[in-house]
Amino acid sequence: MSNVLVAGRAIYLSGKLVYCASFMEIAFRTGKIKRLCERRAEAQRRLGKASAKKLGARLSDLEAAASVADLVAGRPHPLSGDWRGQFALDLAGGRRLVFSPDLEPAPVDADGAVQWARVTRVCIEFIGDYHD
């Protein structure tokens, strides 16, 4: 009979690693953004209940993704114009969770567009309505 051990995102079978899930690494541009992401009460106070709930869900989605290309919820989309090189996920009420690659150098194609399928580390840059 085999000995199976599950440790975090890794599965060991008879002492040998047989599966290890990759996951997104998340950094924060400022301490204020980090607190907003880590403290639900503060997020509810500053963003409202609906956006705070969506923020928690989007952060969980990010953490579980192997790359940005794996994201499906929140209408994931790359940004353009002044926001080029960044990516957004919808929250509620026009608010967005905006992040950029936290890789140096960022993986880009010949046109300079970020190759989001190769991005496994992000930095959350902004939470709010960038149309204001």
Side-chain angles (χ1 to χ4, degrees):
M1 180 176 256
S2 298
N3 184 12
V4 176
L5 171 67
V6 177
R9 296 176 189 252
I11 299 174
Y12 296 87
L13 180 61
S14 297
K16 294 181 181 176
L17 180 66
V18 293
Y19 175 79
C20 185
S22 56
F23 60 94
M24 188 77 59
E25 293 181 51
I26 302 173
F28 305 91
R29 185 175 60 85
T30 66
K32 185 176 180 179
I33 291 173
K34 183 176 182 179
R35 284 188 301 278
L36 189 62
C37 291
E38 293 178 346
R39 298 179 184 165
R40 186 177 189 123
E42 184 167 341
Q44 286 180 347
R45 188 177 76 251
R46 293 195 44 227
L47 303 173
K49 190 172 185 176
S51 284
K53 183 177 180 179
K54 294 277 186 171
L55 176 61
R58 299 297 173 257
L59 289 168
S60 292
D61 294 343
L62 267 173
E63 289 174 343
S67 79
V68 173
D70 293 337
L71 298 170
V72 293
R75 200 177 60 88
H77 55 285
L79 301 177
S80 58
D82 292 342
W83 296 87
R84 181 179 161 95
Q86 297 182 336
F87 203 91
L89 300 172
D90 290 354
L91 299 178
R95 292 182 181 88
R96 311 282 190 282
L97 172 65
V98 178
F99 55 88
S100 62
D102 193 30
L103 302 166
E104 201 54 52
V108 295
D109 62 20
D111 296 327
V114 175
Q115 294 180 329
W116 292 104
R118 294 181 51 209
V119 174
T120 58
R121 291 176 32 186
V122 298
C123 180
I124 297 176
E125 304 282 346
F126 176 80
I127 300 169
D129 186 346
Y130 52 69
H131 297 110
D132 284 344

